[in-house]
Amino acid sequence: MLGVGAVPSVLLALTVLIMPESPRWLVMQGRLGDAKRVLQKTSESPQEAELRLSDIKEAAGIPLDCNNDVVQVTRKKSHGEGIWRELLICPTPAVRHVMIAAVGIHFFQQSSGIDAVVLYSPTIFARAGIKSSDHKLLATIAVGFCKTSFILVATFLLDRVGRRPLILTSIGGMILSLIALGTGLTVVDHSTPNHAPMWAIVLCITTVMTFVATFSIGLGPIAWVYSSEIFPLRLRAQGASIAVGVNRATSGLISMTFLSLSGAITTEGAFYLFASVAAISWVFFYTMMPETQGRTLEEMEYLFGRYAGWRSAAKELEMKRKWGGGIGVDNVTITTN
C-alpha cells in the first residue's frame, strides 16, 4: 500500500520535465523569445499573448518596443534579503491584504472541519447508527468517491464561474450540511438505542456527503488556486510557504483534537462549532476576497490593499481595460497610465 504511493510521484516527476518555464521568469532572464512562445501556448489568442508579454516587459523594466529574442537585463542581486521584512514586519497595504487573504483562506479551509469529517467518517457513521463494518466501509468509500468527483466538477467551473461565486456557494453548502449533520446526530443520540429514526440516519449519511461535495467544489481546490495567484513574484515563495504552513498546522490541530473536542462538547456540538467557523469564513471571504479570475499578476497589487474597498479598484481596472489603459507593477510599486 505504501509502495503504490510512489506511482503518482514518479508520474509527477516525469511531467515536470516537460513543463515550460514561467514566462515572467524567462523575461526576467532576458529570454523574450522563449517567453513569447510559452505565452502563445497558454493564451487563447495571439493578441492576448502579446498583451500579456507587454505587461510583463513593462513590469520588468524592458522597453515595450524591444522585440529581440534575447536582451540584456539588469539583474538585482537579491537572494531573499528583505523579503521577510516586507512580508511580515513592514508590508505595504497591498502586501498585507494579500497575506491576510492567503493565510485566511488556508486557515478556514481546514478549520471548517473537513479533515475531521473525512478521517473520522467511520466514527460518525457509527454514531449515526451504522453498526456493520461492511456498511461503514462502503459509506467511507462513498465519501472519497464524492470528494474526488466534485473536485473534477470544480476544475470545469473554476474559470467559467469565478473564484468568489464558487467559494461563497461552497461555504454556504458546508454551513447547511454541518448544521443538518449536527441536528441528525442530536436526534440519534436522544433516541432509544438501536431504534433511531431512519430519517435521522439517512440525514447524517447524506449530509456527510453534501459537506464533502460542497467543500470539494469550492473551498477545497480554490484555496490552492487563489493563494498561488495573488502573491507578487518576488514574495511568492516565502508567502506561499507561510500560507501552506498555516494550512498544515491547522489540519494537524483539527485532526488531533477532534475526538477530545467531541468528548467535551459532543460530536454534534463539534459540528455546530465547525458550522460557526464556516459562517465566519463566509463573511471574511465576502468582505476581503477580490475576484481574481482573468487578472494578471501585474493587476493584483492594484486590486489588493483596499480591503473592503476592493470593489472600487476592480471597477477602475475594468474602465482601464475598456479604454486601453494599463497597469504596471514593479514588485510592490504601482504606476497607472
Side-chain angles (χ1 to χ4, degrees):
M1 182 178 68
L2 295 175
V4 171
V7 175
S9 300
V10 172
L11 294 176
L12 180 61
L14 295 175
T15 305
V16 167
L17 296 177
I18 62 174
M19 286 176 58
E21 292 286 357
S22 160
R24 290 174 176 82
W25 182 85
L26 291 171
V27 170
M28 291 170 63
Q29 307 305 308
R31 297 162 58 183
L32 299 185
D34 291 337
K36 185 175 182 179
R37 283 187 284 273
V38 173
L39 287 170
Q40 287 173 342
K41 292 180 181 179
T42 57
S43 301
E44 294 183 358
S45 65
Q47 293 77 15
E48 181 186 347
E50 288 293 338
L51 179 61
R52 292 171 64 187
L53 181 60
S54 297
D55 287 340
I56 298 170
K57 285 162 63 177
E58 183 180 0
I62 297 174
L64 298 182
D65 58 355
C66 180
N67 295 309
N68 297 333
D69 282 352
V70 179
V71 300
Q72 291 293 327
V73 294
T74 303
R75 300 181 183 178
K76 298 180 179 179
K77 296 180 179 180
S78 175
H79 299 283
E81 298 89 341
I83 299 297
W84 293 111
R85 177 181 176 83
E86 190 172 341
L87 273 175
L88 302 175
I89 301 175
C90 298
T92 64
V95 172
R96 185 181 298 112
H97 188 181
V98 166
M99 278 297 298
I100 291 173
V103 170
I105 197 170
H106 278 283
F107 170 77
F108 284 120
Q109 184 202 54
Q110 296 299 325
S111 62
S112 59
I114 181 62
D115 280 353
V117 173
V118 173
L119 297 177
Y120 294 102
S121 55
T123 303
I124 297 169
F125 293 139
R127 291 291 303 275
I130 301 177
K131 303 301 182 184
S132 169
S133 297
D134 290 341
H135 291 168
K136 283 189 287 186
L137 178 60
L138 288 174
T140 303
I141 292 173
V143 170
F145 179 79
C146 186
K147 192 171 187 288
T148 303
S149 300
F150 279 89
I151 287 176
L152 295 176
V153 172
T155 62
F156 292 104
L157 296 179
L158 193 59
D159 288 325
R160 297 182 181 183
V161 177
R163 283 72 165 138
R164 274 177 58 83
L166 267 184
I167 201 167
L168 293 175
T169 303
S170 167
I171 296 173
M174 290 165 59
I175 294 170
L176 295 177
S177 298
L178 287 168
I179 293 174
L181 177 57
T183 302
L185 289 174
T186 300
V187 173
V188 171
D189 281 348
H190 288 81
S191 301
T192 304
N194 299 321
H195 292 86
M198 182 56 65
W199 68 265
I201 297 174
V202 172
L203 179 64
C204 291
I205 298 172
T206 302
T207 50
V208 168
M209 304 297 179
T210 58
F211 175 77
V212 170
T214 51
F215 173 87
S216 299
I217 206 171
L219 184 56
I222 290 178
W224 303 98
V225 173
Y226 195 83
S227 60
S228 71
E229 293 178 327
I230 60 179
F231 280 106
L233 284 180
R234 194 167 70 88
L235 308 177
R236 175 176 287 179
Q238 289 83 353
S241 67
I242 293 173
V244 174
V246 170
N247 182 292
R248 295 295 83 203
T250 308
S251 172
L253 180 65
I254 296 297
S255 301
M256 291 188 293
T257 60
F258 178 70
L259 293 179
S260 299
L261 182 65
S262 298
I265 62 175
T266 71
T267 304
E268 52 268 31
F271 289 126
Y272 286 135
L273 177 61
F274 291 146
S276 301
V277 174
I280 294 171
S281 73
W282 194 96
V283 176
F284 173 85
F285 294 131
Y286 182 82
T287 305
M288 298 282 290
M289 181 174 163
E291 178 59 69
T292 59
Q293 180 187 13
R295 302 292 185 191
T296 65
L297 281 176
E298 287 70 35
E299 293 175 327
M300 287 300 179
E301 285 192 73
Y302 189 74
L303 192 61
F304 283 83
R306 310 190 188 191
Y307 300 99
W310 61 264
R311 291 173 178 81
S312 61
K315 292 179 180 178
E316 292 174 17
L317 283 176
E318 293 304 322
M319 291 298 295
K320 290 178 184 294
R321 284 186 174 185
K322 181 178 180 181
W323 297 105
I327 292 180
V329 181
D330 181 10
N331 290 334
V332 294
T333 302
I334 308 298
T335 58
T336 61
N337 57 320

